[in-house]
Amino acid sequence: MFKNNMRLQIPSKSQNESFARIVVASFASQLDPTIEELADVKTAVSEAVTNAIIHGYGNDLGTITIECSIEGNKLEIIIEDNGRGIKDVNKAMEPLYTSSPELERSGMGFTVMETFMDRLEVYSDQENGTKIKMIKEFNSVTSKE
């Protein structure tokens, strides 16, 4: 089976969040998603990139790497930073938990990602960054190989 890949690296600046979601949505469009499916992907990417910017790097500038692949009807998205990492991934994934309450964050980023994607995996090492892997399977796919 044919596998299509793409890779994007962007600076951890807030204005790049919308760029990242548009690039991933454009890549995913080859799966012929519904408007709702595309909105789900864009929202999940937005949350993951925003987390990397705010929690991964804070006021420091770093690089966010986004890798996407399509195989069959499955879209895999990996968003990775080399920032601070997450001290307790399980705690961070609890709804309403935020490590930065002073920033008035809702603490719903991982919950949103889990809701809109079929699978979410989070790997993190303090001081070495975080890697988020999200998978979405599309039902409306027509083979374009």
Side-chain angles (χ1 to χ4, degrees):
M1 184 173 291
F2 176 74
K3 188 172 184 179
N4 194 4
N5 302 294
M6 77 98 187
R7 179 181 170 103
L8 172 70
Q9 288 188 308
I10 55 173
S12 61
K13 295 183 174 186
S14 60
Q15 61 264 39
N16 287 331
E17 173 270 324
S18 60
F19 175 67
R21 64 187 270 145
I22 289 168
V23 169
V24 174
S26 295
F27 183 77
S29 68
Q30 60 196 293
L31 289 171
D32 196 25
T34 64
I35 298 290
E36 293 81 15
E37 289 171 328
L38 209 51
D40 291 352
V41 168
K42 289 165 72 173
T43 301
V45 167
S46 180
E47 292 293 335
V49 170
T50 299
N51 275 358
I53 293 167
I54 292 172
H55 301 292
Y57 292 112
N59 293 325
D60 298 329
L61 188 61
T63 299
I64 299 169
T65 302
I66 302 168
E67 295 181 51
C68 297
S69 64
I70 293 174
E71 189 168 8
N73 70 331
K74 183 172 71 173
L75 170 67
E76 180 178 287
I77 305 164
I78 296 173
I79 299 177
E80 191 168 7
D81 68 65
N82 297 313
R84 296 185 198 114
I86 301 169
K87 184 176 182 177
D88 184 344
V89 171
N90 291 329
K91 183 78 173 162
M93 292 182 77
E94 290 178 8
L96 304 177
Y97 173 81
T98 180
S99 62
S100 303
E102 72 282 0
L103 298 177
E104 297 183 21
R105 308 302 302 174
S106 71
M108 294 298 289
F110 286 125
T111 302
V112 169
M113 288 179 241
E114 281 183 310
T115 301
F116 290 137
M117 302 301 281
D118 295 315
R119 196 162 91 217
L120 172 68
E121 299 171 17
V122 180
Y123 308 95
S124 192
D125 181 19
Q126 264 197 301
E127 307 306 321
N128 291 312
T130 301
K131 177 178 180 177
I132 296 173
K133 179 178 176 180
M134 300 182 284
I135 294 176
K136 179 89 170 166
E137 293 188 39
F138 296 86
N139 296 323
S140 60
V141 97
T142 53
S143 181
K144 295 182 180 181
E145 295 183 29

